[in-house]
Amino acid sequence: MSDSTSLGDRWGPHADSQAGRTLVAMFETQRLPHALLIAGPVGVGKRDLALRIAQAMLCDSPDEVNAGPCRTCRNCLRLHNPAQPTLDPQHTDVEIVSMGSLCAESDHDHRNSRTIGICVIRRIEHVATLTPFEASERVIIINPADALTADAADAFLKTLEEPPERVYFILLSAQQEQLSETIRSRCRTLTLAPLPVDRLERWLDRWAAETGLELPSDAQQRAELLRLARGRPGWLQDNLRDGDPVSLRAAQIDDAIRIANATRAERLEWAEQIAGRSTNAQSIDNLQLILDAWSDWWRDLWLQQTNQAQSILHVSQRERIEGTAALYDQGATSHFLERIQRTRALIERGITHGLNARLALDVLLLNIPTARESS
């Protein structure tokens, strides 16, 4: 099958993008490079595409026209089973290396690590030298590659320079600029861009039908869900599996308004609840989600203040946006929005530089603008 629908079923939401067409051409001509870098925003679908590539390489019944994976054979289901979508690959010749992965040292505990260290890469170097156990190729996915420490990146570079036969590396990154130029130069890069709303909606309907997931029936709620996704199918998959992202966002906005009106002590108490006394991987993930929501909310306030209300994200919160925006000076809103974005970036960089995320959150909360007295 070679029509666009079957391509989408086999290669996913990015099948009809430039990256998707390039990937299909690589398989058709059997010129898949030993190192691929899949770049794009968080939630755009990089991990999904990496697993589809692994499926195509190991599939028992590949598409004869475009070499796409069948997605239903035993090998394909061991890599991704719609009935267990969050389960890591169960194939002996496919491995995902991430923060917290096993390393070469038996006494190391990386469960709360926010980096991929050299000891993890040492183990991968050893695995790469082994003959594939079941398949003809071995696939190693590094997610996210920008979490590699400097030492780990240097060690991994040596493997990329002389890749073992029958071993393929797929690096995923939302911040490819943080990868060294030498690593990037040894990879073929596929850049995934957010999908247009119409294509995202078509994919969402197909994915929901495949997984049996019930989508919002209310047109306004469905439209808001698509706006929150910003063209990112991976974001939709993750958030819809966990519950109702539109209701969650409304609760996050409630918190943003409450904390803006709270005392200094109440703000710091809330920060301790969110980030904890000693931040771990889970608390940092939660904090990043909250800061994303706050950035969207304060941006909507700024858009309202600058007569760009047609561009606001949270349309269902329009009345609250109008009322809240009137309480703040436009310059203060703009300045605080920049602070949120800087704090988000600092915490992201701090994953590999040891930044105290709790301290960054405290500083942000103590700089929330003061609202005018409402009349």
Side-chain angles (χ1 to χ4, degrees):
M1 293 182 293
S2 59
D3 57 88
S4 59
T5 300
S6 64
L7 274 175
D9 290 339
R10 293 174 183 274
W11 285 112
H14 295 280
D16 196 34
S17 68
Q18 180 62 48
R21 291 190 291 271
T22 298
L23 181 61
V24 169
M26 289 178 185
F27 274 91
E28 287 176 340
T29 58
Q30 298 184 351
R31 292 182 178 179
L32 188 70
H34 280 274
L36 268 176
L37 169 60
I38 304 178
V42 172
V44 79
K46 299 183 293 295
R47 185 180 185 276
D48 175 75
L49 184 59
L51 289 177
R52 289 174 188 269
I53 293 171
Q55 286 178 320
M57 296 175 69
L58 277 60
C59 182
D60 293 329
S61 305
D63 183 343
E64 294 181 0
V65 175
N66 58 59
C70 73
R71 303 275 286 173
T72 58
C73 71
R74 180 172 178 269
N75 276 340
C76 283
L77 291 177
R78 289 169 69 189
L79 294 174
H80 174 77
N81 188 337
Q84 298 175 296
T86 60
L87 192 66
D88 278 342
Q90 303 299 298
H91 198 290
T92 55
D93 294 319
V94 177
E95 182 168 355
I96 295 182
V97 179
S98 59
M99 299 174 288
S101 288
L102 295 174
C103 74
E105 306 296 331
S106 60
D107 59 339
H108 286 190
D109 183 354
H110 296 289
R111 281 175 295 182
N112 287 321
S113 176
R114 299 297 296 179
T115 62
I116 300 174
I118 190 170
C119 55
V120 176
I121 294 303
R122 293 297 185 211
R123 188 184 74 81
I124 293 305
E125 288 175 338
H126 172 68
V127 169
T129 64
L130 303 177
T131 302
F133 186 70
E134 296 178 80
S136 57
E137 295 92 10
R138 185 183 299 280
V139 182
I140 297 174
I141 301 168
I142 301 182
N143 180 31
D146 40 78
L148 289 165
T149 64
D151 288 344
D154 288 343
F156 182 58
L157 179 61
K158 297 175 183 177
T159 302
L160 285 182
E161 288 173 338
E162 298 180 11
E165 291 185 10
R166 297 187 295 178
V167 177
Y168 293 82
F169 295 96
I170 306 176
L171 285 65
L172 312 184
S173 178
Q175 302 180 86
Q176 60 171 316
E177 69 279 358
Q178 292 201 23
L179 292 172
S180 70
E181 176 59 34
T182 47
I183 284 183
R184 281 182 284 163
S185 67
R186 284 162 177 76
C187 300
R188 176 69 183 270
T189 300
L190 296 176
T191 301
L192 302 185
L195 300 178
V197 173
D198 58 343
R199 196 191 309 168
L200 181 67
E201 187 168 18
R202 287 196 299 271
W203 167 82
L204 178 60
D205 287 334
R206 187 165 63 237
W207 176 73
E210 174 189 324
T211 59
L213 189 73
E214 187 173 344
L215 296 175
S217 57
D218 179 76
Q220 183 178 9
Q221 189 177 25
R222 183 185 175 96
E224 185 134 340
L225 176 65
L226 292 170
R227 283 195 299 274
L228 290 174
R230 286 197 178 90
R232 299 170 297 169
W235 185 94
L236 282 172
Q237 288 176 321
D238 292 341
N239 285 274
L240 285 169
R241 287 191 193 112
D242 292 339
D244 178 2
V246 175
S247 297
L248 174 60
R249 178 53 64 91
Q252 291 169 330
I253 290 173
D254 288 343
D255 270 347
I257 294 173
R258 178 175 60 82
I259 295 304
N261 295 317
T263 65
R264 176 189 178 98
E266 289 170 336
R267 292 177 186 180
L268 296 179
E269 181 181 354
W270 181 80
E272 184 172 327
Q273 294 173 358
I274 296 300
R277 292 183 180 274
S278 58
T279 51
N280 55 35
Q282 184 61 54
S283 65
I284 288 180
D285 287 343
N286 291 338
L287 178 54
Q288 289 171 327
L289 291 174
I290 289 169
L291 291 180
D292 284 344
W294 281 33
S295 180
D296 289 342
W297 170 247
W298 283 88
R299 179 179 180 274
D300 276 354
L301 299 184
W302 179 79
L303 289 171
Q304 178 67 34
Q305 293 171 334
T306 55
N307 299 317
Q308 301 179 73
Q310 73 279 2
S311 300
I312 65 173
L313 180 65
H314 306 100
V315 175
S316 63
Q317 301 277 344
R318 189 179 296 277
E319 289 187 9
R320 294 179 85 184
I321 291 170
E322 292 173 354
T324 306
L327 298 176
Y328 293 98
D329 175 77
Q330 178 187 322
T333 300
S334 177
H335 183 64
F336 186 62
L337 177 58
E338 291 174 1
R339 274 189 176 274
I340 296 173
Q341 294 166 343
R342 285 201 303 270
T343 301
R344 179 70 168 81
L346 279 171
I347 292 173
E348 190 68 41
R349 288 199 298 271
I351 289 174
T352 54
H353 291 79
L355 176 79
N356 187 320
R358 168 64 192 282
L359 177 60
L361 179 60
D362 286 349
V363 171
L364 177 68
L365 295 180
L366 294 178
N367 282 277
I368 296 176
T370 302
R372 305 187 187 102
E373 293 291 333
S374 57
S375 56

